[in-house]
Amino acid sequence: MSDLQLWPIGNCQVSGLIDRTGALVWGCVPRVDGDPVFCSLLNDGNRDSGIWRFELDGQVSATQEYIRNTPILITRLEAEDGSAVEVLDFCPRYEGKGRMYRPVAFGRIVRPIAGNPRIKVVLRPMKNYGAQTVETTNGTNHVRYLVGQQGLRLSTDAPVGYVLENRTFRIEDDTHFFLGPDEPFVGNLREEIRRIEQSTRKYWQAWVRGLATPFEWQDEVIRCAITLKLCQHEETGAIVAALTTSIPEAPHSERNWDYRYCWIRDSYYTVQALNRLGALDVLEKYLAYLRNIVDSAKGGQIQPLYSVMGESELDETTAAYLAGYRGMGPVRVGNAAYKQVQHDCYGQIVLPTVQGFIDKRLLRIADDHDFESLEQVGEMAWKMHDQPDAGLWEFRTRQEVHTYSAVMSWAACDRLAGTAERLGKTERATLWRDRADAIRARIEKEAWVEGDNNGDSGHYKASFESDYLDASLLQMIDLRFLMPDDPRFQSTFAAIEKELRRGEHMLRYAAEDDFGAPETAFNVCTFWLIEALHLAGRSEEARGLFCTMLGHTTGSGMLSEDLDWETGELWGNFPQTYSLVGIINCAGLLSKPWSEVR
C-alpha cells in the first residue's frame, strides 16, 4: 500500500493532509505555499516533529471516512481492550456577516465512543521548513506557538499541562481543539467549535448540491470536485497544481518539484473540469486571477506559473533540514520553471476566459475592454506559435517548437475569432480566423510525418524538429483541432498507443529527458488514453481501464501525479489536480446518461 494514503482537509485558505493513523502530517501557514509547520510527511516520516496526532493507549486499528459530501474527516481509533475514540478533522469554512469565514485554522474534536479510552496529544509544529522547533507559551486554556509573523494559538478544553508534557490521560467527554490565529477564542469553546463544524458541514453539502454530476461514479466525482476546490486559494482565485512539494515522481529520481503554485496550464484543465460540473464559483474567481496576471504582463510574455498571490519570481532553493519523502530528498521550495518559456500558456488563458463573454450565469459578464486585453494575449500566441519553448512537460535543458504549444496557439486564435463574431467585431473575427488558419497550415506542414510502405499511415509528432511522440497529441481532439473520426488522429493515436502505452497505463513520453528515461506512468495521460479509446469506439476497454484507475485511488479517493505501472504504487505530488480532473472528465464521458436511469 502506498505511503500516500492521505486525506486532504482545507478551507481554500489553508489545507492539511491527515495520514492513515489520523495524524496531521502536512500543513502550511498562512497559506498553501507557506511554511509547513506540519512537515512530518517530508521529514522521512518523523513521528516526533512537525506533526499533530492523538495516540490511543493500546491502539490496534484505525479506520477513516469523510462526512458525506464534505472534506470533514472522521478517524476511528480502536484499542486492544475495546475502547475507542473518533477524531473529527476540519478547517472552518462558511458564510457569515456577508463574507466567507475561512481562517488559518484547524479544528479537531476527539470523542470517546467505547470503553475507557486514554489518549496522548502530540502537537509539535516546526518552523523555517523543519529547521527549528516552535517556542511556546501558555495560559490556563491555551498554548501559543511562536511561528510566522502572527503565531498560532491552540484553544482547548483538554488539560493544557497534559498537552504540553505529552502525558496520557483518560478522555471521558468530547474534547475540542482549535489551532488558529493567535488571539483569544471568543465564546464558549465547546459550543462554538460545534457550531463552526456544523456550519462548515452545511456549506460543503450545499455546494455539492449545486454540482451537475454524471449518473455513474457520483461519489468519485464529488470527492474530486471538493478536493479541486480545496486547491483554490480563494483570496486571489489562484489554483495550485497540488498541496505538496517534493514527493518524487519515482524512487530516488530527484524529480522532486514544488507544486504549491498556480500553473496556467493545470488551472485551465481544473476549471474546465469543474465548469463541466457547473461549479462556476471556482471559474469566476480564477478569471479574476487571470485578469490580474494579464494586466501585470502588459501585453508581454506570460509565465507558465505564478504564486497564489500572483508573484512572478519563485526562486528555487532546497530545505536542508527536511530529509524528504521516505528520505528521498531534496525538498525543493520554489520552482525554477517560472523562468521557462512555455507558449501553450497563451491558449490556456484565452480558452477559459472566452466563457466570460457568453455565459449569462456569471455575475460579471466580460466587456469590450476585457476583449482588448485578451487580444494582447492572442497577439503573443500568434507571435510565438512557431518559436521554441520548453513544452508542457517543462524540459529544463532543451527547447523545440512543440506541437502541443502550437495547437494551443491555434486554439487561442480560433476562440478569439469566435468571440469576436459573437461581439459583432467582424474585422477582428477575420483577423483571428486568418491567423488560426495560418497556424493550422504550419502545424500540418511541420508536425505531420508521412507514412511509409510498411503499413504506417503517418502521425503527428511531438515537436517540429524531432520525430518522437508524446501523449499531449491526444489533446488535439479536446481542443477541437481534429475530429475523432479524422484518419490523421486515428493513425496518431495508434502510434502513440504503440509507443507509450504500458499495459493499462500511459507515459508522457518514452524518450530520455533531463533526468533519464521515465520510470513511472503519468496519471493524467492514462485518462487521456481512456478518453481516446472511447472516442475511437473502444468504449468497453475504456470503461475497464477507468475502473482500473479508480482501483488505484487512495482511501480518500485521491490520486497523485504518477504511478508505477508494474506495482501500482503512487508517486509524485498529492493530490494532483491533473489526475483528479482525469477522473471527472472520464466519468462524464463514460457514464450512462441520466435519461436512461430507470
Side-chain angles (χ1 to χ4, degrees):
M1 184 178 289
S2 171
D3 286 354
L4 292 179
Q5 289 292 332
L6 302 168
W7 299 71
I9 61 172
N11 62 4
C12 305
Q13 173 66 41
V14 291
S15 55
L17 296 177
I18 310 292
D19 75 4
R20 68 185 76 181
T21 71
L24 178 56
V25 296
W26 184 256
C28 304
V29 298
R31 56 179 186 259
V32 65
D33 60 355
D35 191 5
V37 295
F38 299 109
C39 55
S40 172
L41 178 67
L42 294 188
N43 205 15
D44 200 12
N46 189 317
R47 301 289 295 172
D48 294 317
S49 61
I51 198 166
W52 185 4
R53 70 180 184 271
F54 301 102
E55 295 181 1
L56 177 63
D57 199 18
Q59 180 179 327
V60 293
S61 68
T63 56
Q64 293 168 295
E65 65 177 351
Y66 284 114
I67 293 176
R68 190 174 77 88
N69 293 355
T70 78
I72 301 173
L73 177 65
I74 296 178
T75 303
R76 180 186 174 104
L77 307 177
E78 297 186 1
E80 55 190 355
D81 65 0
S83 61
V85 298
E86 281 186 350
V87 181
L88 187 147
D89 281 297
F90 70 100
C91 293
R93 178 179 173 83
Y94 58 91
E95 190 169 350
K97 299 180 180 179
R99 58 190 177 87
M100 191 63 67
Y101 177 66
R102 43 174 172 76
V104 179
F106 301 90
R108 311 193 79 176
I109 303 173
V110 183
R111 293 170 172 155
I113 56 174
N116 300 299
R118 291 167 52 81
I119 67 167
K120 179 194 293 185
V121 182
V122 179
L123 176 50
R124 296 185 181 134
M126 304 290 285
K127 62 182 180 180
N128 298 330
Y129 283 83
Q132 299 163 283
T133 56
V134 176
E135 298 175 353
T136 64
T137 63
N138 65 278
T140 307
N141 300 110
H142 74 267
V143 182
R144 297 175 63 229
Y145 296 90
L146 308 182
V147 59
Q149 294 181 343
Q150 298 179 334
L152 294 173
R153 179 184 295 231
L154 176 71
S155 300
T156 182
D157 48 16
V160 169
Y162 289 161
V163 175
L164 288 171
E165 297 177 18
N166 299 131
R167 292 186 179 274
T168 301
F169 61 96
R170 187 162 170 167
I171 180 168
E172 298 179 330
D173 198 1
D174 289 6
T175 307
H176 305 79
F177 301 83
F178 189 87
L179 183 66
D182 185 14
E183 55 193 37
F185 193 94
V186 178
N188 181 291
L189 182 75
R190 179 188 185 94
E191 293 178 359
E192 276 299 296
I193 291 182
R194 288 186 172 187
R195 183 191 65 79
I196 290 171
E197 186 274 324
Q198 287 292 320
S199 297
T200 300
R201 184 184 307 203
K202 289 178 181 178
Y203 166 82
W204 284 107
Q205 291 178 340
W207 184 80
V208 168
R209 191 167 176 261
L211 297 179
T213 61
F215 168 63
E216 295 182 89
W217 303 293
Q218 290 183 60
D219 289 338
E220 291 85 351
V221 168
I222 287 170
R223 182 54 50 199
C224 290
I226 289 173
T227 307
L228 288 180
K229 184 169 174 63
L230 292 182
C231 289
Q232 182 168 58
H233 185 67
E234 189 169 68
E235 180 181 0
T236 62
I239 301 169
V240 297
L243 299 179
T244 59
T245 176
S246 302
I247 299 177
E249 295 179 14
H252 303 286
S253 64
E254 296 195 11
R255 297 175 186 259
N256 301 12
W257 314 115
D258 192 347
Y259 276 10
R260 300 171 301 156
Y261 305 110
C262 183
W263 267 260
I264 302 299
R265 177 189 316 112
D266 297 49
S267 299
Y268 156 68
Y269 282 108
T270 297
V271 297
Q272 179 195 54
L274 289 176
N275 188 45
R276 287 168 175 167
L277 300 179
L280 286 181
D281 57 331
V282 176
L283 172 66
E284 284 185 311
K285 293 183 184 302
Y286 179 62
L287 291 181
Y289 178 80
L290 282 185
R291 286 192 289 269
N292 282 311
I293 294 297
V294 171
D295 287 349
S296 297
K298 294 180 172 58
Q301 180 176 317
I302 301 290
Q303 293 180 188
L305 69 153
Y306 295 84
S307 82
V308 295
M309 300 303 294
E311 184 181 0
S312 59
E313 295 187 10
L314 304 171
D315 292 333
E316 188 174 297
T317 60
T318 57
Y321 293 92
L322 293 177
Y325 175 73
R326 290 164 55 175
M328 300 178 192
V331 172
R332 290 190 168 92
V333 181
N335 198 305
Y338 82 90
K339 298 178 181 178
Q340 290 187 348
V341 175
Q342 295 177 29
H343 300 319
D344 56 322
C345 64
Y346 302 111
Q348 286 143 359
I349 288 178
V350 171
L351 267 60
T353 302
V354 294
Q355 184 172 343
F357 296 91
I358 58 176
D359 194 332
K360 302 302 182 182
R361 298 170 298 171
L362 296 172
L363 294 174
R364 180 189 183 277
I365 302 297
D367 56 23
D368 286 350
H369 177 74
D370 294 315
F371 185 74
E372 291 173 5
S373 295
L374 198 59
E375 282 193 299
Q376 295 180 27
V377 180
E379 289 290 345
M380 290 299 294
W382 166 246
K383 180 180 178 180
M384 297 297 179
H385 76 272
D386 59 354
Q387 298 302 304
D389 70 354
L392 82 163
W393 307 126
E394 298 181 347
F395 298 119
R396 293 198 168 199
T397 59
R398 70 174 189 263
Q399 290 194 349
E400 295 178 330
V401 181
H402 289 92
T403 304
Y404 176 84
S405 297
V407 172
M408 265 295 177
S409 294
W410 167 85
C413 296
D414 176 75
R415 304 311 192 267
L416 282 168
T419 303
E421 289 171 359
R422 292 188 188 93
L423 296 176
K425 300 178 182 294
T426 305
E427 291 185 4
R428 304 308 296 172
T430 300
L431 171 75
W432 290 113
R433 183 63 60 203
D434 289 346
R435 288 178 171 181
D437 291 344
I439 296 175
R440 175 182 284 277
R442 187 67 185 274
I443 293 170
E444 299 293 359
K445 177 182 178 182
E446 302 292 347
W448 178 257
V449 178
E450 294 291 347
D452 54 32
N453 296 324
N454 298 319
D456 182 1
S457 301
H459 60 82
Y460 290 98
K461 53 184 182 174
S463 79
F464 288 9
E465 294 92 339
S466 302
D467 188 11
Y468 73 97
L469 294 161
D470 82 36
S472 69
L473 296 168
L474 298 177
Q475 289 293 284
M476 287 177 152
I477 298 298
D478 191 64
L479 294 171
R480 304 203 301 264
F481 186 83
L482 296 175
M483 297 299 290
D485 58 356
D486 191 313
R488 294 168 299 171
F489 174 73
Q490 294 175 356
S491 60
T492 299
F493 177 34
I496 290 173
E497 190 173 13
K498 179 180 179 181
E499 178 76 14
L500 302 182
R501 185 169 175 175
R502 299 293 184 270
E504 297 175 310
H505 305 284
M506 180 74 87
L507 304 182
R508 286 175 289 184
Y509 46 83
E512 288 195 3
D513 61 15
D514 315 336
F515 291 81
E519 301 173 63
T520 51
F522 204 69
N523 287 327
V524 74
C525 295
T526 302
F527 289 116
W528 291 350
L529 166 65
I530 293 167
E531 292 175 5
L533 287 170
H534 173 73
L535 295 171
R538 296 158 62 183
S539 295
E540 286 305 311
E541 184 179 357
R543 287 178 69 93
L545 288 188
F546 184 53
C547 291
T548 296
M549 285 301 292
L550 292 180
H552 290 298
T553 59
T554 62
S556 59
M558 303 291 105
L559 285 170
S560 60
E561 181 183 47
D562 307 274
L563 184 147
D564 186 314
W565 66 80
E566 294 182 347
T567 68
E569 185 171 10
L570 295 176
W571 290 92
N573 281 307
F574 181 94
Q576 177 74 10
T577 54
Y578 256 160
S579 302
L580 305 187
V581 163
I583 293 176
I584 292 173
N585 288 345
C586 286
L589 195 64
L590 299 174
S591 173
K592 298 175 183 177
W594 282 92
S595 60
E596 293 184 9
V597 179
R598 295 182 179 179

